[in-house]
Amino acid sequence: MPTFEAYEGQVPAWCPGCGNFQILSSLKQALVELDIEPWEVLLVSGIGQSGKLPHYMKCHTFNGLHGRTLPVATAAKLANDALHVIAVAGDGDCYGEGGNHFIHAIRRNPNVTLLVHDNQIYGLTKGQASPTSDQGTRSKVQPFGSLSEPMNPLALAISLDCSFVARGFAGDPRYLKELMKAAISHKGFALLDILQPCVTFNKVNTFKWYRDRVYKLEEGYDPSDRLKAFERALEWGERIPNGIFFKNNRKTLEELVPVIREKPLVRQKFSPEETKRELEKFY
């Protein structure tokens, strides 16, 4: 049985009061309660404050390029489907630089869990507007306010028939942990967008701002109703719903790729001579 302490990594260097702390502790607790050992987990991240999370956990980790979290996570899952592959990203990292990968990962449906630390700002690079910043958000490089309409990642994911779509709040770690457990246990690509206040650069969307607005989807809500899910995903402003918006049972990418359908790459025979012969055909 794994313990919370078994997942302890380096000491976090986030700002005091950052919402990332609750995300980190919720993830550790979720993995412990799911009875998943550290050696069974791969955490993948790109660049950003969210990208540091794997540094603070003891398990398999990969910290790569900005916006390229999902291609690495997908490849790892294709190579070894025994691993619980969890991709960690920020709103700028995943919805900005990695927006194209986000769309196509949903289409491909690898059995990967994606946790997005959504603070509506680029925190690591001192507070520029991100794809989820509200229109009019002012920063040092947007003195007249962000001119673009904010992206709605949940509505986009549902429109693409994403296998699992949910939203949580770092200020409610107990419920966030339950959402993480559901996302990790789901078979297929699972998006969990997490409202995560940036206490240093976002003075609008604070813990209080969210607490005044966030509520849970009502008991009896049907996450198989795609049209209803789309309608609820568009709800933003005075009231912001949290919970599991949408789920389906599509085949995963691992089940569709013929060469790994029966056996993942990591358990297939490797022949250096055969590889050499294939490479020589290109000379």
Side-chain angles (χ1 to χ4, degrees), residues 11 22 29 38 40 48 54 64 103 110 119 146 152 160:
V11 176
Q22 289 93 331
Q29 193 61 42
E40 297 176 298
I103 289 170
N119 58 16
S146 172
N152 185 323
L160 293 168

Side-chain angles (χ1 to χ4, degrees), residues 172-187:
D172 186 354
R174 186 173 297 181
Y175 187 49
L176 179 60
K177 176 198 68 180
E178 295 302 323
L179 292 173
M180 285 179 172
K181 287 165 65 179
I184 294 167
S185 303
H186 180 77
K187 183 182 167 189

